Amino acid sequence: MNIMSKPPLDETEVPTSLRAQSKLKTRRRVLDAARQLFMERGYEAATIRDIASQAGLSTGAVFASFVDKTDLFNAVMAEDFQRQVEHLRDAAKPDAKVEEAILAVFEAGYRFHGAQLPLLQAAVSLSWSNGLGGEFGDRPSFGLAMEALTEILSRGVETGELKATPEQLRLTAEVLWDAYVGNYRRALFDDWSVERLVERVRQQIQLVLSGLR
C-alpha cells in the first residue's frame, strides 16, 4: 500500500457528527421559540404544539430533545440564569469598595431581568405549582453567583475593609444573594421599578456588611 495514501474514512464518523450538529440546531430552535412564547403568553398558555409551530418543527422533534414542557421551561430558565450570572460578573468593579462592588453586581441583575419580567413571573408561578414555595430550586448559576460574591467579600478582607472567616464570608454571600433574589417579588407583584429595587438592596447590603466591619 502507498504509505502516502490516506487511511479509509470511517463511514460512521461523518454521519454521527452531522446528526449531533442537527440535534443541537433543533434544540436551539426549540429553546428560542419556547423562550419567545413563554415571554409572550406565560407558562400555561404556551403549548408544546405552539412552540413546535413557532420553531417550524413537529411536536415529535420537541419531545426528542425535552421530556415535557416543564423540562423545556427549566432549560430556558437555566440558560437565562447562566446569562444573568455572566452579566453580573461583567458588572463587578474590581477596584471598588465592597458595598459599591456588590451593589453594581445586583443592579446589573435587576436591569438584566427588567425587560423580561414575564419570563421571571412564569418561573415563580411554576415553582409555586411544583411545591417549591416560589423558589427556583438548585441551579448551577447559584454556585457561580456565590463564587462572584465571595470573591468580592474576600477582597474586602484582604484590604482590611471587612473582618471575617471563610465560613462567615460564605454565609454572608448566601444572605446577600437571598436578599437580592427575594426583592424580585417586589417587581413582580408590587410593580417596583429597578431604581426602587436598587435602593432596597443597597440598604440590605449595608445592613449585612455592618456585621463584618
Side-chain angles (χ1 to χ4, degrees):
M1 183 180 71
N2 186 346
I3 61 173
M4 297 300 292
S5 65
K6 295 181 181 180
L9 177 66
D10 183 347
E11 296 182 356
T12 64
E13 290 182 1
V14 174
T16 298
S17 177
L18 291 176
R19 283 197 296 271
Q21 291 178 19
S22 177
K23 189 172 182 179
L24 286 175
K25 288 180 180 179
T26 297
R27 179 182 175 87
R28 180 74 269 152
R29 287 168 63 181
V30 173
L31 285 169
D32 290 344
R35 190 178 192 283
Q36 180 179 339
L37 291 185
F38 286 141
M39 276 280 292
E40 294 175 354
R41 307 180 186 181
Y43 176 79
E44 295 298 337
T47 67
I48 289 292
R49 184 181 297 277
D50 291 337
I51 292 170
S53 177
Q54 179 73 19
L57 299 166
S58 66
T59 56
V62 176
F63 287 120
S65 297
F66 302 96
V67 175
D68 53 24
K69 188 167 73 168
T70 299
D71 183 40
L72 173 54
F73 183 80
N74 284 337
V76 170
M77 290 306 300
E79 280 196 345
D80 211 52
F81 276 98
Q82 179 68 34
R83 284 194 294 267
Q84 179 200 20
V85 170
E86 293 171 357
H87 199 65
L88 299 187
R89 282 185 173 278
D90 291 341
K93 299 179 179 180
D95 299 325
K97 295 289 186 180
V98 173
E99 180 182 324
E100 181 184 350
I102 295 175
L103 182 63
V105 167
F106 286 165
E107 180 175 356
Y110 288 142
R111 295 196 183 282
F112 175 85
H113 279 299
Q116 51 191 37
L117 284 179
L119 190 61
L120 201 60
Q121 174 80 60
V124 172
S125 298
L126 180 60
S127 69
W128 273 108
S129 66
N130 286 348
L132 297 178
E135 299 300 331
F136 304 126
D138 295 328
R139 299 184 184 276
S141 58
F142 174 76
L144 296 176
M146 288 301 97
E147 289 179 11
L149 289 174
T150 302
E151 182 178 329
I152 295 174
L153 293 169
S154 297
R155 191 165 63 244
V157 172
E158 292 173 359
T159 60
E161 189 179 346
L162 302 176
K163 297 178 181 178
T165 65
E167 291 75 15
Q168 289 173 324
L169 291 183
R170 176 71 184 184
L171 180 57
T172 300
E174 291 181 2
V175 170
L176 288 169
W177 181 256
D178 287 344
Y180 160 74
V181 173
N183 288 336
Y184 275 108
R185 289 179 175 80
R186 304 287 185 175
L188 294 173
F189 304 117
D190 299 328
D191 295 323
W192 277 29
S193 65
V194 170
E195 288 69 28
R196 196 171 179 185
L197 290 175
V198 171
E199 181 54 34
R200 170 72 171 227
V201 82
R202 179 198 302 275
Q203 296 171 356
Q204 292 168 326
I205 293 170
Q206 291 174 344
L207 180 61
V208 173
L209 294 184
S210 66
L212 302 180
R213 299 296 187 186

